[in-house]
């Protein structure tokens, strides 16, 4: 069950949120073996002044990030291998470029993994793998 925080430019929230949500969930189901109904996303809109982002750091030759920059911070419990991570990154970039027209330079993805005991889904109970 990944939980994703999506930092999105304030001026794009209304027009992009639904598409990004759908594409992200499709990507997780397709590339990370996430059950279809395990959808936990938090959109965090930010104004231009709230976003301090190096426009060229590791963006590729002759590339610059724009004011449309998106950051996906995905926290997942079950580790994935490099192939799965690469597939996720490609899927998100290709689909978002196609569906909302965002430049792939403007998409950054960070994934980190946790242990089952790092989650409490409700009632203050520690999650155990056998709970599912």
């Amino acid at each position: 069950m990944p939980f994703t925080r999506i930092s999105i430019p304030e001026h794009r929230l209304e027009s992009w949120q639904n598409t990004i949500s759908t594409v992200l969930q499709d990507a997780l189901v397709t590339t990370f073996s996430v059950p279809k109904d395990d959808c936990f996303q938090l959109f965090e809109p930010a104004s231009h002044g709230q976003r301090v982002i190096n426009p060229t750091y590791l963006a590729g030759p002759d590339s610059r990030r724009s004011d449309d920059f998106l950051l996906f911070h995905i926290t997942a419990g079950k580790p994935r291998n490099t192939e799965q991570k690469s597939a996720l990154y490609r899927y998100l970039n290709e689909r978002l470029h196609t569906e909302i027209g965002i430049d792939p330079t403007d998409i950054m993805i960070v994934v980190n993994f946790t242990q089952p005991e790092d989650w409490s889904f409700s009632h203050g109970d520690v999650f155990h793998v056998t709970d599912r």
Side-chain angles (χ1 to χ4, degrees):
M1 194 277 335
F3 171 72
T4 306
R5 298 175 85 109
I6 302 109
S7 176
I8 185 170
E10 189 172 64
H11 70 278
R12 295 291 191 187
L13 181 65
E14 191 173 313
S15 60
W16 283 5
Q17 181 176 347
N18 290 339
T19 301
I20 290 170
S21 177
T22 299
V23 168
L24 172 61
Q25 190 62 19
D26 289 346
L28 292 169
V29 169
T30 302
T31 65
F32 261 37
S33 301
V34 171
K36 185 181 78 164
D37 294 331
D38 282 3
C39 184
F40 294 87
Q41 304 170 357
L42 176 62
F43 282 83
E44 299 175 318
S47 69
H48 177 75
Q50 294 171 307
R51 298 161 52 95
V52 179
I53 298 160
N54 184 310
T56 58
Y57 183 77
L58 298 178
D62 302 318
S63 294
R64 288 186 71 78
R65 291 178 183 89
S66 75
D67 287 339
D68 287 340
F69 176 79
L70 291 175
L71 171 63
F72 293 86
H73 184 189
I74 302 169
T75 302
K78 182 173 82 175
R80 272 46 174 219
N81 61 40
T82 301
E83 291 77 24
Q84 290 172 298
K85 292 174 195 173
S86 293
L88 172 69
Y89 305 156
R90 282 191 309 276
Y91 189 105
L92 272 175
N93 267 271
E94 291 168 6
R95 287 276 311 276
L96 290 174
H97 177 68
T98 299
E99 304 231 2
I100 63 174
I102 191 169
D103 187 315
T105 302
D106 284 325
I107 300 171
M108 182 175 171
I109 305 161
V110 178
V111 179
N112 66 298
F113 299 98
T114 61
Q115 298 298 313
E117 65 269 12
D118 296 326
W119 299 81
S120 174
F121 289 96
S122 66
H123 299 96
D125 297 331
V126 171
F127 175 70
H128 299 280
V129 175
T130 58
D131 289 349
R132 263 182 74 106

